Amino acid sequence: MRYRLLATSGLAACLALTAAACSSSPSSPSASSPATTAPASASSGATTASDFGPGCAAVPKTGAGSFTGMSTAPVATAASANPVLSTLVTAVKKAGLVDTLNSASGITVFAPDNAAFAKIPAATLSKVLADKAELTKILTYHVVAGRYTPSQLAAGTPLKTLEGATVTPALMGGTYEVNSADVVCGNVQTANATVYIINTVLMPPSS
């Protein structure tokens, strides 16, 4: 009897829809969930290994700086091979954080791309790069313990950074955000980290 009830309700549902909707073939993505910004699994809670976002097009297709190349290297080494992150790599080296990041076990890094650093006035950026303590504070504000999936970021739970303060991720209108920064290329995997490339340098509350 239960099976017959289920079958009847399922038939009614199909009759209420169009023939295309009841077809067994996959439906095309809806306009409200663009694949370029939010992976399909973000709302389902499933873990995805796929990178996403318009900024991913700037990542090399082959070599050490490609997604495949970065997946086998620790995060600082992986970033150093990616031309999109060259300014960040310079900052990490000046702060003496290469070994710290490479030896970390399971972290999430919100990595500002070169365009993000270009938003900072040249004089200000030079001053920060010359101040190791302040630079370390800013860079560690971009690192969170644990490897977070897109669906976990979409939950909007504040995350404590290695700097000590928190950042707040969100999924807004199909675009992932961290504080005021948009994720331009997300869910990039390295040997020890999940990386979300962002378009703005995040500043700790006390800076």
Side-chain angles (χ1 to χ4, degrees):
M1 176 64 71
R2 184 180 178 186
Y3 173 80
R4 292 178 61 189
L5 287 173
L6 289 174
T8 301
S9 64
L11 177 60
C14 277
L15 290 174
L17 299 173
T18 65
C22 293
S23 170
S24 60
S25 60
S27 60
S28 58
S30 67
S32 62
S33 56
T36 55
T37 51
S41 63
S43 60
S44 66
T47 300
T48 175
S50 300
D51 51 85
F52 64 90
C56 292
V59 174
K61 304 301 181 191
T62 60
S66 66
F67 293 121
T68 299
M70 288 190 290
S71 69
T72 61
V75 63
T77 300
S80 68
N82 191 331
V84 174
L85 301 173
S86 59
T87 307
L88 174 62
V89 170
T90 296
V92 168
K93 289 179 179 179
K94 285 184 175 293
L97 292 173
V98 172
D99 290 341
T100 299
L101 293 176
N102 276 348
S103 62
S105 177
I107 56 176
T108 295
V109 178
F110 301 107
D113 61 11
N114 293 342
F117 283 99
K119 295 179 181 179
I120 303 173
T124 302
L125 180 58
S126 295
K127 183 177 179 181
V128 171
L129 290 175
D131 186 338
K132 185 175 181 179
E134 181 66 14
L135 183 59
T136 298
K137 184 171 185 165
I138 292 172
L139 292 177
T140 53
Y141 185 60
H142 292 74
V143 183
V144 175
R147 300 181 73 145
Y148 284 83
T149 64
S151 59
Q152 288 173 315
L153 297 188
T157 304
L159 306 175
K160 186 174 183 179
T161 68
L162 299 191
E163 183 270 339
T166 62
V167 293
T168 302
L171 177 58
M172 303 293 290
T175 299
Y176 286 87
E177 299 178 354
V178 184
N179 291 359
S180 60
D182 290 343
V183 174
V184 297
C185 184
N187 207 30
V188 179
Q189 302 300 314
T190 75
N192 69 325
T194 298
V195 179
Y196 294 86
I197 301 176
I198 56 178
N199 68 354
T200 303
V201 177
L202 307 177
M203 299 301 293
S206 57
S207 293

